[in-house]
Amino acid sequence: MIVDVADEQRFREFVSARSPALMRLGFLLTGGDQHAAEDLVQTALAKLASRWRRVDAPEAYAKQIMYRQQISWWRASRRRGEVVQAEPPELAVRDLNHQSELRMVLRSALARLTARQRTVLVLRYFEDLPEQDVARALGCSVGTVRSTAHRSLARLREIAPELARELEAAK
């Protein structure tokens, strides 16, 4: 709990400055579910606030909380057998702007991956974490991270071949 006025001000400044980036990460981790992303960020910030005075790297700490919380949620949903998606896969919304369209295709494709696959891809490629750090964050082996990333990318190519074509055209 933050009791010092200066600490509270620094926390507020951190939240103001870093919330958009944390929301983007939350959005990717949850497969495009805005409400789940907001819940994820709120949970991370609440936990960070309770430990604010002892944390040296608040953004890294908040991200670690988000990774672990997302893992807990997908483990719980796997036990319940639920699959939550932001939008049904058959309802692809298109936009005239090419970049917006690609983002939407990627978001839809990510939502169709399992939570574990999505989390590995987000940590490995969006957060640009080394395989060892991803393995540590997820509590698994480096080999599991590699195989999950490989299968996840193959699944993305299958779900959204236009993304693979776009990457080839960009080379």
Side-chain angles (χ1 to χ4, degrees), residues 20-93:
L22 293 174
M23 273 302 298
R24 284 189 298 274
L25 175 61
F27 197 74
L28 289 171
L29 287 172
T30 60
D33 185 336
Q34 179 74 26
H35 299 294
E38 290 169 356
D39 289 346
L40 195 58
V41 172
Q42 183 176 8
T43 299
L45 291 176
K47 288 182 179 185
L48 175 62
S50 69
R51 295 167 185 88
W52 180 254
R53 298 183 81 159
R54 297 183 303 254
V55 174
D56 295 327
E59 185 165 5
Y61 190 79
K63 287 179 177 182
Q64 186 69 25
I65 293 169
M66 290 173 69
Y67 305 151
R68 291 183 176 165
Q69 187 64 49
Q70 182 63 17
I71 291 167
S72 295
W73 287 347
W74 62 254
R75 283 182 179 155
S77 69
R78 187 173 59 196
R79 283 191 297 273
R80 290 189 307 264
E82 296 176 5
V83 177
V84 179
Q85 294 183 338
E87 297 177 19
E90 66 274 6
L91 296 179
V93 180

Side-chain angles (χ1 to χ4, degrees), residues 7 10 13 36 47 55 65 79 90 104 112-113 133 150 157-158 162 168:
D7 281 342
R10 283 191 293 277
E13 290 170 0
K47 288 182 179 185
V55 174
I65 293 169
R79 283 191 297 273
E90 66 274 6
M104 292 171 65
R112 293 177 64 190
L113 296 176
D133 291 352
H150 178 77
R157 287 184 197 100
E158 178 185 313
E162 58 268 41
E168 284 299 317

